[in-house]
Amino acid sequence: MALNMLMIHPLVLAKLEVGQHLYWQLGGLKLHGQVFLTSWFVIGALLLVSFLATRNIQRIPSGLQNFMEYALEFIRDLAKNQIGEKEYRPWVPFVGTLFLFIFVSNWSGALIPWKLIHLPSGELAAPTNDINTTVALALLTSLAYFYAGFSNRGLGYFAKYIEPTPILLPINILEDFTKPLSLSFRLFGNILADELVVAVLVLLVPLFVPLPVMVLGLFTSAIQALIFATLAAAYIGEAIEGHGGEEHG
């Protein structure tokens, strides 16, 4: 009987994670309130750290300023490697915002006990634990690489859909739909799976076993942020330089 109860509890927990939400009604729109709350927390944390790191800039950086300059250099190198030496600079803020928002969101789900905060319905979790957030980020990425391609190549950008032969037109169009889908579902699936695994292990073996899994979750969360930002930058670089990235290194 006890074993049956232990098997039922994770299923109930999983159902609660995926299916129930706190909704806000705004006119004819229904908004996921819990996603907005945690997203605002992440945005506020990023703004606060940015303010503290830049309020007293020194010629020889130290402390938080040194950390932020290292993060900026890391993002700049990521954008340069994927987009190219000549075109990467305007895209550093976009790629950096994607990376930092996803990174802090993922880690907030692993480090902050959101579920201790009770809501009228649903429960708080990392913003990237919701498919709406990851799809929105993926659609922003799609808009970014369409804009990059069109602004750099004009109407010639659309020639990519019939290269190297017009027969590939449907496949090339389908590819542009699968890019945001793969980005959003990869990020959502990994973050949701990690949180569910930790929750189930805490329920079953509440003391020592979940700790290594939580550490592994922090690592994989960081990797997921890096993968998303790298692929977004790669798509932008491909759109700028041409289909298939003939010149892209």
Side-chain angles (χ1 to χ4, degrees):
M1 183 66 180
L3 179 59
N4 290 336
M5 292 299 294
L6 287 176
M7 293 300 292
I8 290 171
H9 287 169
L11 295 178
V12 174
L13 180 63
K15 183 178 179 181
L16 179 62
E17 288 277 355
V18 176
Q20 297 186 15
H21 300 279
L22 171 67
Y23 291 110
W24 293 341
Q25 197 70 34
L26 184 63
L29 298 176
K30 184 180 286 187
L31 306 178
H32 282 206
Q34 61 198 53
V35 178
F36 275 88
L37 290 173
T38 53
S39 296
W40 289 338
F41 172 84
V42 171
I43 293 170
L46 288 170
L47 290 175
L48 178 62
V49 172
S50 299
F51 171 75
L52 294 176
T54 57
R55 65 175 179 171
N56 186 25
I57 297 178
Q58 303 294 326
R59 293 180 62 89
I60 301 177
S62 61
L64 196 55
Q65 180 188 340
N66 192 46
F67 173 77
M68 290 298 291
E69 290 191 9
Y70 172 79
L72 176 60
E73 191 65 29
F74 173 80
I75 294 167
R76 189 178 294 161
D77 289 341
L78 187 154
K80 183 190 298 184
N81 291 334
Q82 299 301 323
I83 299 175
E85 181 78 32
K86 297 180 181 179
E87 304 285 351
Y88 82 95
R89 291 185 184 276
W91 293 101
V92 170
F94 177 76
V95 174
T97 300
L98 279 179
F99 174 76
L100 291 175
F101 178 79
I102 295 172
F103 180 86
V104 177
S105 295
N106 293 352
W107 273 41
S108 73
L111 296 177
I112 299 176
W114 290 115
K115 294 174 179 58
L116 296 180
I117 303 174
H118 296 286
L119 300 176
S121 61
E123 56 186 23
L124 297 177
T128 44
N129 189 18
D130 192 286
I131 188 65
N132 297 282
T133 304
T134 60
V135 168
L137 294 173
L139 289 177
L140 284 175
T141 302
S142 295
L143 290 175
Y145 70 69
F146 278 125
Y147 170 79
F150 186 75
S151 62
N152 281 269
R153 302 172 61 204
L155 294 176
Y157 171 74
F158 297 104
K160 75 167 192 168
Y161 291 106
I162 56 173
E163 293 175 354
T165 171
I167 298 175
L168 296 179
L169 175 63
I171 297 176
N172 289 334
I173 294 176
L174 182 62
E175 181 184 359
D176 278 339
F177 282 98
T178 57
K179 284 177 180 177
L181 282 176
S182 64
L183 280 175
S184 58
F185 280 101
R186 179 191 295 110
L187 179 59
F188 165 70
N190 279 279
I191 299 306
L192 178 62
D194 178 66
E195 292 195 5
L196 287 178
V197 167
V198 171
V200 171
L201 285 177
V202 168
L203 181 65
L204 297 177
V205 191
L207 193 55
F208 296 112
V209 174
L211 293 179
V213 179
M214 293 175 69
V215 173
L216 179 62
L218 292 175
F219 176 74
T220 56
S221 296
I223 294 298
Q224 288 302 317
L226 178 61
I227 290 173
F228 195 104
T230 300
L231 288 176
Y235 294 155
I236 292 169
E238 180 180 300
I240 291 173
E241 297 180 359
H243 186 62
E246 292 89 347
E247 301 173 10
H248 188 63

